[in-house]
DNA sequence: GTCAAAATATGATTAATGTCATGATTTTAA
DNA sequence: TTAAAATCATGACATTAATCATATTTTGAC
């Protein structure tokens, strides 16, 4: 876990405005700002590991992160993604359990850290933060359940199409408005859809042949997202 | 949704003691007691439906409930179970979204109902209830993610073995200490494990042949739970 | 720039599971 | 009590996707 000098500003200067901390008073913002730690993470580095003791929560100042768990056979399953402004590791706030997933940085990122205690202190005096936290948990639960039903009932092709849509809704497109702004390996895409690397390669080729996507190495271009939506939703 | 005269006591007299309401003051308990509604549900009846407007949350006074969602192909997926003392529908508290799942009663049950407003009013003045609610959400999220990885990575046999264990940990055994106290159809078990009815029938027969379980119609006997644990956890 | 390692690609084969069909058994309701 | 409906059971077959093998291409470190 490398630490280098970063240019992360005080929380009051941070422009991640629509996140969970937006309801804090200036004093509370100042308090977390004084107590936070900031780190730089290089692509591929882990922020925390599944099973490790939780020491607090993380806020992504700028970056992209995947959360994954290992199955009993050692295969990875991607649970969720997080991006600039999102927080990580907040689930361990409510129990003394270790982290339930491993957070891995998908591209060079700046991430702040706040201790459990500071966060819960603020929650105690700011019911809006509690409320926001519950909404966040509730939202994550909803998507986990949706992901479950997708993996349980859809074909690989539908799941891959859905995985690409998830990457789009989470990380968006590049400036050209059609190229996914995140580049993953085929194996990482497989770990989202719950399939193998080979099947993912073949399925992406099929989607390409059907003009649902275009492939330029790891770059994935989605000219028309509704084509993917159709593929992911229907049994043909 | 039938309503009949029930013998549900006031909340202060209710002996579901280890649930989310155990931190309430006597006044708060009195307040929810006065505002609750109580209903009797016959086996098979729905408490609420996925997609319907949420009007509040439910507390199972006595009974067994399954929560399920419909996939896009119309196939049901069981998300979670709930039993005496558990609450249902609390997720819709944090957003104005409709219920995300259908709650169906697995055996005749008595279930109370409390409006969103009363619950959130109490949360505002009782931070312990907020805390408990967050713990509950967090626990549900954890098991949803575990369920996801199981369905994504395990074989049908392992998933069925795991489903039986879930039924055991949720609902327990009959007085004999080895017969599951819940009786589901093969099709309902299939909907937990994310497989088909036929495959479930065959797999249960295999587990039976391997002496992991005994079958007496819908009655499932698990003489030694650790045998199932072993089957559900390992790739052979 | 070169080389090794990682990632991509593709084919052949196999295993797991879904689908369809049919009959037996159990449950439910009149 | 009995008939209808639902559930359970089993076989045959089809299909999907995993596995194994082997090139080829890309990437990253020196």
């Amino acid at each position: 876990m490398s630490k280098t000098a970063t240019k992360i500003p005080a929380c009051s200067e941070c422009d991640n405005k629509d996140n969970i901390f937006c309801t804090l008073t200036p004093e509370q913002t100042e308090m977390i700002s004084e107590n936070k730690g900031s780190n730089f993470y290089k692509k591929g580095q882990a922020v925390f590991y599944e099973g490790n003791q939780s020491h607090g929560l993380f806020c992504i100042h700028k970056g992209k992160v995947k959360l994954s768990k290992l199955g009993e056979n050692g295969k990875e399953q991607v649970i969720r993604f997080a991006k600039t402004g999102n927080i990580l590791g907040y689930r361990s706030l409510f129990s003394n359990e270790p982290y339930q997933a491993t957070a891995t940085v998908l591209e060079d990122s700046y991430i702040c850290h706040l201790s459990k205690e500071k966060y819960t202190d603020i929650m105690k005096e700011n019911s809006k933060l509690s409320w926001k936290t519950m909404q966040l948990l509730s939202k994550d639960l909803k998507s986990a359940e949706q992901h479950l039903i997708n993996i349980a009932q859809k074909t690989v092709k539908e799941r891959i199409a859905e995985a690409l849509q998830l990457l789009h809704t989470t990380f968006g497109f590049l400036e050209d408005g059609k190229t996914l702004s995140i580049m993953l390996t085929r194996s990482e895409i497989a770990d989202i859809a719950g399939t193998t690397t080979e099947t993912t390669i073949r399925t992406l080729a099929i989607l390409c042949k059907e003009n649902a996507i275009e492939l330029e190495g790891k770059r994935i271009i989605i000219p028309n997202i509704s084509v993917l939506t159709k593929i992911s939703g229907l049994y043909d």
Side-chain angles (χ1 to χ4, degrees), chain A residues 152-181:
Chain A
Q153 300 191 353
K154 292 189 173 183
T155 64
V156 166
K157 186 173 156 192
E158 293 169 322
R159 269 141 53 197
I160 300 265
E162 187 127 340
L164 297 180
Q165 284 179 88
L166 174 65
L167 293 175
H168 166 240
T169 54
T170 311
F171 299 121
F173 287 138
L174 295 179
E175 302 70 37
D176 67 358
K178 57 177 190 172
T179 304
L180 284 183
S181 75

Side-chain angles (χ1 to χ4, degrees), chain A residues 25-177:
Chain A
T25 65
E27 293 73 32
Q28 289 166 341
T29 304
E30 186 56 27
M31 148 117 130
I32 64 168
S33 196
E34 280 170 4
N35 285 282
K36 78 176 180 186
S38 299
N39 282 313
F40 172 74
Y41 295 86
K42 223 174 155 44
K43 178 178 176 176
Q45 282 189 323
V47 183
F48 52 80
Y49 288 97
E50 178 180 3
N52 278 183
Q53 176 71 37
S54 154
H55 294 297
L57 77 168
F58 297 85
C59 180
I60 306 175
H61 178 250
K62 179 148 185 36
K64 299 185 171 80
V65 173
K66 77 170 173 191
L67 283 126
S68 59
K69 282 171 78 75
L70 284 182
E72 278 156 14
N73 50 358
K75 182 166 165 56
E76 190 174 332
Q77 174 68 44
V78 173
I79 299 295
R80 190 167 4 120
F81 290 102
K83 62 177 172 182
T84 303
N86 292 158
I87 65 171
L88 302 172
Y90 59 92
R91 189 139 44 100
S92 310
L93 290 170
F94 313 106
S95 60
N96 278 321
E97 289 181 347
Y99 291 119
Q100 296 297 318
T102 298
T104 310
V105 152
L106 296 171
E107 58 183 38
D108 294 1
S109 300
Y110 293 92
I111 300 177
C112 300
H113 174 266
L114 184 68
S115 75
K116 267 190 194 191
E117 290 68 31
K118 292 293 167 195
Y119 191 83
T120 50
D121 283 355
I122 297 177
M123 270 209 294
K124 271 173 207 154
E125 58 183 54
N126 186 329
S127 67
K128 281 184 185 165
L129 184 60
S130 295
W131 191 256
K132 280 265 178 192
T133 306
M134 285 189 254
Q135 285 185 317
L136 199 54
L137 279 165
S138 154
K139 193 167 137 284
D140 283 349
L141 181 56
K142 180 181 172 183
S143 36
E145 287 173 352
Q146 192 56 55
H147 196 175
L148 170 71
I149 199 164
N150 287 339
I151 290 211
Q153 300 191 353
K154 292 189 173 183
T155 64
V156 166
K157 186 173 156 192
E158 293 169 322
R159 269 141 53 197
I160 300 265
E162 187 127 340
L164 297 180
Q165 284 179 88
L166 174 65
L167 293 175
H168 166 240
T169 54
T170 311
F171 299 121
F173 287 138
L174 295 179
E175 302 70 37
D176 67 358

